[in-house]
Amino acid sequence: MNLLKAENISKSFGGLKAINDVSFEVRKAEILALIGPNGAGKTTLLNLITNFIKPDKGHVVFCDQSIDGKPRHTIVKLGIARTFQTLTVFENLTAADNIIIGHSARTGLDLGSIWNVTAYHKKRQEKKESFSKVLYDLIEFVNLNKKYINWPVNELSIIDKKRVAIACALASEPKLLLLDEPLAGLNQTEAQEILDLMRKTKAAGTSILLIDHNLEAVMSVSDRVMVLNFGEFVCEGTPSEIICHKKVREVYLGE
Ligand SMILES: Nc1ncnc2c1ncn2[C@@H]1O[C@H](COP(=O)(O)OP(=O)(O)OP(=O)(O)O)[C@@H](O)[C@H]1O
Ligand SMILES: [Mg+2]
Protein backbone atom coordinates (compact mmCIF):
# COMPACT_ATOMS: atom_id res chain seq x y z
CA MET A 1 0.00 0.00 0.00
CA ASN A 2 1.16 3.52 -0.82
CA LEU A 3 2.08 5.92 1.92
CA LEU A 4 3.36 8.67 -0.37
CA LYS A 5 2.84 9.11 -4.07
CA ALA A 6 4.70 11.75 -6.08
CA GLU A 7 3.38 12.33 -9.59
CA ASN A 8 5.18 14.01 -12.49
CA ILE A 9 7.30 16.31 -10.36
CA SER A 10 9.46 18.85 -12.18
CA LYS A 11 11.71 21.62 -10.91
CA SER A 12 14.11 23.85 -12.81
CA PHE A 13 16.66 26.30 -11.45
CA GLY A 14 17.13 28.80 -14.28
CA GLY A 15 17.97 26.68 -17.30
CA LEU A 16 18.85 23.58 -15.22
CA LYS A 17 16.23 20.85 -15.01
CA ALA A 18 17.03 19.58 -11.50
CA ILE A 19 14.00 17.23 -11.50
CA ASN A 20 12.29 16.32 -14.73
CA ASP A 21 8.87 14.64 -14.63
CA VAL A 22 9.69 12.19 -11.83
CA SER A 23 7.01 9.92 -10.36
CA PHE A 24 7.47 7.43 -7.54
CA GLU A 25 5.82 6.02 -4.45
CA VAL A 26 6.88 5.05 -0.96
CA ARG A 27 5.02 2.06 0.37
CA LYS A 28 3.98 1.32 3.93
CA ALA A 29 6.64 -0.40 6.06
CA GLU A 30 9.48 -0.19 3.56
CA ILE A 31 12.88 1.38 3.15
CA LEU A 32 13.11 2.97 -0.28
CA ALA A 33 16.58 4.13 -1.27
CA LEU A 34 17.12 7.01 -3.66
CA ILE A 35 20.54 6.86 -5.31
CA GLY A 36 22.33 8.65 -8.13
CA PRO A 37 25.54 10.56 -8.78
CA ASN A 38 26.26 14.02 -7.34
CA GLY A 39 23.81 16.58 -8.68
CA ALA A 40 21.28 13.92 -9.74
CA GLY A 41 18.49 15.79 -7.92
CA LYS A 42 18.08 13.60 -4.82
CA THR A 43 18.09 16.37 -2.21
CA THR A 44 15.95 18.55 -4.47
CA LEU A 45 13.34 15.79 -4.52
CA LEU A 46 13.25 15.68 -0.68
CA ASN A 47 13.03 19.49 -0.61
CA LEU A 48 10.07 19.35 -2.99
CA ILE A 49 8.21 16.71 -0.95
CA THR A 50 8.64 18.70 2.26
CA ASN A 51 7.84 22.07 0.64
CA PHE A 52 11.27 23.61 1.26
CA ILE A 53 10.99 24.48 -2.42
CA LYS A 54 7.96 24.54 -4.71
CA PRO A 55 7.69 22.33 -7.79
CA ASP A 56 7.04 23.83 -11.23
CA LYS A 57 4.76 20.90 -11.92
CA GLY A 58 3.45 17.77 -10.24
CA HIS A 59 1.64 16.57 -7.14
CA VAL A 60 2.42 14.80 -3.90
CA VAL A 61 -0.18 12.75 -2.06
CA PHE A 62 0.52 11.49 1.46
CA CYS A 63 -1.85 9.14 3.31
CA ASP A 64 -4.46 9.73 0.60
CA GLN A 65 -4.39 13.53 0.89
CA SER A 66 -2.71 16.14 -1.24
CA ILE A 67 0.17 17.90 0.50
CA ASP A 68 0.88 20.25 -2.42
CA GLY A 69 1.83 23.66 -1.02
CA LYS A 70 1.05 22.70 2.59
CA PRO A 71 3.14 24.57 5.21
CA ARG A 72 6.11 22.57 6.47
CA HIS A 73 4.77 22.37 10.03
CA THR A 74 1.54 20.87 8.65
CA ILE A 75 3.54 18.31 6.68
CA VAL A 76 5.34 17.31 9.90
CA LYS A 77 2.02 17.02 11.73
CA LEU A 78 0.65 14.82 8.95
CA GLY A 79 3.59 12.47 9.53
CA ILE A 80 6.65 13.30 7.41
CA ALA A 81 9.91 14.08 9.22
CA ARG A 82 13.38 14.55 7.80
CA THR A 83 17.05 15.00 8.48
CA PHE A 84 19.34 17.14 6.33
CA GLN A 85 22.38 16.43 4.16
CA THR A 86 24.31 19.03 6.16
CA LEU A 87 23.92 17.76 9.71
CA THR A 88 21.33 20.12 11.16
CA VAL A 89 20.79 20.22 14.90
CA PHE A 90 20.41 23.04 17.39
CA GLU A 91 24.10 22.99 18.32
CA ASN A 92 23.83 25.21 21.40
CA LEU A 93 20.86 23.38 22.88
CA THR A 94 21.02 20.11 24.77
CA ALA A 95 20.20 16.72 23.27
CA ALA A 96 16.99 16.72 25.33
CA ASP A 97 15.94 20.14 24.05
CA ASN A 98 16.54 19.10 20.43
CA ILE A 99 14.27 16.12 20.96
CA ILE A 100 11.63 18.27 22.68
CA ILE A 101 11.62 20.58 19.66
CA GLY A 102 10.95 17.57 17.40
CA HIS A 103 8.15 16.43 19.68
CA SER A 104 6.62 19.89 19.92
CA ALA A 105 6.48 20.10 16.11
CA ARG A 106 3.68 17.55 16.31
CA THR A 107 2.13 18.17 19.72
CA GLY A 108 2.40 21.95 19.90
CA LEU A 109 3.89 21.68 23.41
CA ASP A 110 6.45 24.40 23.99
CA LEU A 111 9.75 24.07 25.84
CA GLY A 112 8.58 26.27 28.71
CA SER A 113 5.42 24.33 29.39
CA ILE A 114 7.35 21.07 29.53
CA TRP A 115 10.29 22.08 31.70
CA ASN A 116 8.90 24.86 33.86
CA VAL A 117 7.50 23.14 36.92
CA THR A 118 8.39 25.77 39.45
CA ALA A 119 4.81 26.96 39.44
CA TYR A 120 3.05 23.66 40.02
CA HIS A 121 0.21 22.97 37.73
CA LYS A 122 -1.28 19.49 37.53
CA LYS A 123 -1.77 19.45 33.77
CA ARG A 124 1.73 20.75 33.14
CA GLN A 125 3.17 18.16 35.50
CA GLU A 126 1.30 15.40 33.64
CA LYS A 127 2.60 16.69 30.32
CA LYS A 128 6.13 16.74 31.68
CA GLU A 129 5.86 13.19 32.95
CA SER A 130 4.45 11.88 29.68
CA PHE A 131 7.09 13.75 27.72
CA SER A 132 9.89 12.41 29.94
CA LYS A 133 8.89 8.91 28.93
CA VAL A 134 8.92 9.84 25.23
CA LEU A 135 12.33 11.43 25.70
CA TYR A 136 13.96 8.52 27.55
CA ASP A 137 12.41 5.95 25.19
CA LEU A 138 13.83 7.83 22.20
CA ILE A 139 17.28 8.26 23.77
CA GLU A 140 17.34 4.50 24.28
CA PHE A 141 15.93 3.81 20.80
CA VAL A 142 18.70 5.78 19.08
CA ASN A 143 21.30 4.33 21.45
CA LEU A 144 22.47 7.70 22.80
CA ASN A 145 24.28 7.38 26.12
CA LYS A 146 21.99 8.86 28.81
CA LYS A 147 24.88 10.86 30.24
CA TYR A 148 24.68 13.15 27.17
CA ILE A 149 21.05 14.04 27.65
CA ASN A 150 21.81 17.48 29.09
CA TRP A 151 24.98 18.17 27.12
CA PRO A 152 25.01 20.90 24.47
CA VAL A 153 24.95 19.07 21.15
CA ASN A 154 28.05 20.91 19.89
CA GLU A 155 30.10 18.89 22.41
CA LEU A 156 28.99 15.53 21.00
CA SER A 157 30.71 13.35 18.38
CA ILE A 158 29.32 13.18 14.82
CA ILE A 159 27.57 9.86 15.40
CA ASP A 160 25.94 11.19 18.57
CA LYS A 161 24.84 14.36 16.75
CA LYS A 162 23.32 12.12 14.09
CA ARG A 163 21.54 10.12 16.80
CA VAL A 164 20.13 13.39 18.17
CA ALA A 165 19.05 14.55 14.68
CA ILE A 166 17.25 11.25 14.06
CA ALA A 167 15.70 11.26 17.54
CA CYS A 168 14.49 14.82 16.90
CA ALA A 169 12.84 13.66 13.66
CA LEU A 170 11.38 10.54 15.29
CA ALA A 171 10.04 12.63 18.19
CA SER A 172 7.38 13.96 15.83
CA GLU A 173 6.16 10.34 15.47
CA PRO A 174 6.41 10.26 11.69
CA LYS A 175 4.90 7.68 9.38
CA LEU A 176 7.65 8.52 6.88
CA LEU A 177 11.22 9.48 7.73
CA LEU A 178 13.38 11.11 5.04
CA LEU A 179 17.11 10.65 5.60
CA ASP A 180 19.57 12.61 3.43
CA GLU A 181 23.01 10.99 3.57
CA PRO A 182 22.82 9.80 7.20
CA LEU A 183 25.98 7.70 6.78
CA ALA A 184 28.22 10.51 5.49
CA GLY A 185 31.26 11.06 7.72
CA LEU A 186 30.81 7.85 9.71
CA ASN A 187 33.24 4.94 9.93
CA GLN A 188 32.08 1.44 9.06
CA THR A 189 31.09 0.44 12.61
CA GLU A 190 29.15 3.67 13.13
CA ALA A 191 27.46 3.29 9.73
CA GLN A 192 26.32 -0.20 10.74
CA GLU A 193 24.77 1.26 13.91
CA ILE A 194 22.77 3.78 11.90
CA LEU A 195 21.69 1.02 9.50
CA ASP A 196 20.48 -1.02 12.48
CA LEU A 197 18.59 2.04 13.70
CA MET A 198 16.89 2.27 10.29
CA ARG A 199 15.88 -1.40 10.50
CA LYS A 200 14.45 -0.84 14.00
CA THR A 201 12.58 2.24 12.80
CA LYS A 202 11.03 0.28 9.95
CA ALA A 203 10.15 -2.58 12.32
CA ALA A 204 8.39 -0.02 14.53
CA GLY A 205 6.17 0.90 11.55
CA THR A 206 7.85 3.98 10.06
CA SER A 207 8.76 3.90 6.37
CA ILE A 208 12.06 5.45 5.30
CA LEU A 209 13.16 7.25 2.15
CA LEU A 210 16.95 7.00 2.28
CA ILE A 211 19.51 8.90 0.23
CA ASP A 212 23.12 7.76 0.51
CA HIS A 213 26.24 7.30 -1.60
CA ASN A 214 27.40 4.23 0.38
CA LEU A 215 25.93 1.77 -2.12
CA GLU A 216 26.92 -1.37 -0.24
CA ALA A 217 25.13 -0.09 2.87
CA VAL A 218 22.14 1.10 0.85
CA MET A 219 21.75 -2.28 -0.82
CA SER A 220 21.98 -4.07 2.54
CA VAL A 221 19.18 -2.10 4.19
CA SER A 222 16.64 -1.19 1.52
CA ASP A 223 13.62 -3.05 0.16
CA ARG A 224 13.61 -1.11 -3.11
CA VAL A 225 16.00 1.26 -4.81
CA MET A 226 15.22 4.10 -7.20
CA VAL A 227 17.91 5.63 -9.41
CA LEU A 228 18.04 9.24 -10.58
CA ASN A 229 20.51 10.84 -12.99
CA PHE A 230 20.53 14.48 -14.19
CA GLY A 231 17.06 14.91 -12.68
CA GLU A 232 15.62 12.00 -14.65
CA PHE A 233 14.16 8.76 -13.32
CA VAL A 234 16.49 5.97 -14.50
CA CYS A 235 15.02 2.79 -13.01
CA GLU A 236 13.65 1.19 -9.85
CA GLY A 237 13.81 -2.32 -8.41
CA THR A 238 14.98 -4.52 -5.58
CA PRO A 239 18.65 -4.16 -4.56
CA SER A 240 19.62 -7.33 -6.43
CA GLU A 241 17.83 -6.10 -9.58
CA ILE A 242 19.50 -2.69 -9.34
CA ILE A 243 23.02 -4.01 -8.75
CA CYS A 244 23.09 -5.73 -12.15
CA HIS A 245 20.79 -3.31 -14.01
CA LYS A 246 22.33 -2.24 -17.32
CA LYS A 247 21.19 1.38 -16.91
CA VAL A 248 22.73 1.64 -13.44
CA ARG A 249 26.06 0.42 -14.75
CA GLU A 250 25.79 3.11 -17.45
CA VAL A 251 25.09 5.81 -14.86
CA TYR A 252 27.83 4.82 -12.42
CA LEU A 253 30.46 3.23 -14.65
CA GLY A 254 29.77 4.88 -17.98
CA GLU A 255 29.56 1.41 -19.59
N1 LIG B 1 18.54 26.18 -4.77
C1 LIG B 1 19.19 25.86 -5.90
N2 LIG B 1 19.47 26.79 -6.83
C2 LIG B 1 20.11 26.46 -7.97
N3 LIG B 1 20.50 25.22 -8.30
C3 LIG B 1 20.24 24.25 -7.41
C4 LIG B 1 19.58 24.51 -6.16
N4 LIG B 1 19.44 23.33 -5.49
C5 LIG B 1 20.00 22.41 -6.26
N5 LIG B 1 20.48 22.94 -7.41
C6 LIG B 1 21.12 22.21 -8.51
O1 LIG B 1 20.23 21.14 -8.86
C7 LIG B 1 20.99 19.97 -9.15
C8 LIG B 1 20.55 18.85 -8.21
O2 LIG B 1 21.04 19.16 -6.92
P1 LIG B 1 20.78 18.20 -5.67
O3 LIG B 1 21.39 18.90 -4.49
O4 LIG B 1 19.37 17.85 -5.61
O5 LIG B 1 21.65 16.92 -6.06
P2 LIG B 1 21.94 15.62 -5.22
O6 LIG B 1 21.54 14.46 -6.05
O7 LIG B 1 21.38 15.74 -3.86
O8 LIG B 1 23.55 15.65 -5.16
P3 LIG B 1 24.55 15.21 -3.98
O9 LIG B 1 24.67 13.72 -4.08
O10 LIG B 1 25.85 15.89 -4.37
O11 LIG B 1 24.01 15.69 -2.70
C9 LIG B 1 22.46 20.34 -9.03
O12 LIG B 1 22.95 20.66 -10.30
C10 LIG B 1 22.44 21.55 -8.11
O13 LIG B 1 23.52 22.40 -8.34
MG1 LIG C 1 22.12 15.85 -1.98
Side-chain angles (χ1 to χ4, degrees):
M1 274 236 297
N2 288 340
L3 186 60
L4 178 135
K5 196 167 170 58
E7 289 176 319
N8 308 106
I9 305 280
S10 294
K11 177 71 188 178
S12 293
F13 296 109
L16 176 87
K17 284 189 173 171
I19 293 291
N20 190 13
D21 201 27
V22 171
S23 299
F24 71 99
E25 70 207 23
V26 184
R27 299 174 189 159
K28 283 189 180 156
E30 78 163 349
I31 299 180
L32 172 68
L34 177 54
I35 65 168
N38 294 115
K42 304 178 298 296
T43 299
T44 301
L45 204 50
L46 288 205
N47 287 339
L48 289 164
I49 292 170
T50 47
N51 199 19
F52 275 75
I53 51 176
K54 298 198 185 309
D56 301 327
K57 198 167 93 41
H59 301 286
V60 184
V61 173
F62 180 68
C63 289
D64 297 324
Q65 70 168 289
S66 168
I67 57 167
D68 295 339
K70 290 234 191 292
R72 293 199 290 265
H73 62 267
T74 305
I75 292 176
V76 174
K77 279 190 179 152
L78 288 171
I80 303 180
R82 68 175 293 184
T83 63
F84 293 83
Q85 181 165 354
T86 311
L87 186 54
T88 304
V89 277
F90 297 99
E91 293 269 347
N92 296 320
L93 298 184
T94 65
D97 286 344
N98 271 272
I99 297 171
I100 293 171
I101 287 167
H103 189 63
S104 65
R106 186 177 181 90
T107 59
L109 291 179
D110 62 277
L111 289 176
S113 73
I114 291 170
W115 292 128
N116 180 6
V117 285
T118 45
Y120 181 79
H121 183 289
K122 189 161 180 281
K123 211 155 187 179
R124 188 180 285 168
Q125 183 66 19
E126 280 166 6
K127 274 183 187 170
K128 187 189 172 201
E129 280 162 14
S130 90
F131 179 72
S132 289
K133 177 155 173 32
V134 172
L135 178 63
Y136 280 93
D137 285 353
L138 270 169
I139 296 267
E140 197 179 320
F141 191 79
V142 301
N143 210 15
L144 181 72
N145 191 318
K146 281 196 187 70
K147 74 178 181 193
Y148 296 138
I149 199 163
N150 288 317
W151 282 38
V153 173
N154 60 19
E155 291 183 21
L156 302 183
S157 64
I158 291 189
I159 174 104
D160 283 329
K161 284 183 186 177
K162 292 204 180 211
R163 288 186 176 115
V164 171
I166 293 174
C168 175
L170 289 176
S172 68
E173 297 171 13
K175 298 184 182 79
L176 174 61
L177 176 63
L178 312 174
L179 298 174
D180 197 349
E181 301 203 21
L183 308 180
L186 300 183
N187 66 33
Q188 225 174 342
T189 315
E190 292 168 337
Q192 280 307 325
E193 275 197 47
I194 298 296
L195 291 172
D196 285 342
L197 179 53
M198 286 182 221
R199 293 186 184 100
K200 271 201 310 185
T201 302
K202 175 186 144 182
T206 298
S207 295
I208 295 177
L209 176 53
L210 163 69
I211 295 174
D212 213 275
H213 286 290
N214 181 340
L215 295 189
E216 198 182 332
V218 162
M219 297 300 173
S220 76
V221 80
S222 47
D223 299 291
R224 288 189 305 132
V225 180
M226 171 175 138
V227 186
L228 277 187
N229 194 25
F230 293 118
E232 307 264 352
F233 173 89
V234 176
C235 58
E236 176 254 297
T238 61
S240 50
E241 286 166 349
I242 291 298
I243 285 168
C244 47
H245 201 295
K246 187 171 170 288
K247 284 188 179 169
V248 179
R249 299 184 70 85
E250 283 169 11
V251 165
Y252 279 98
L253 305 172
E255 287 180 354

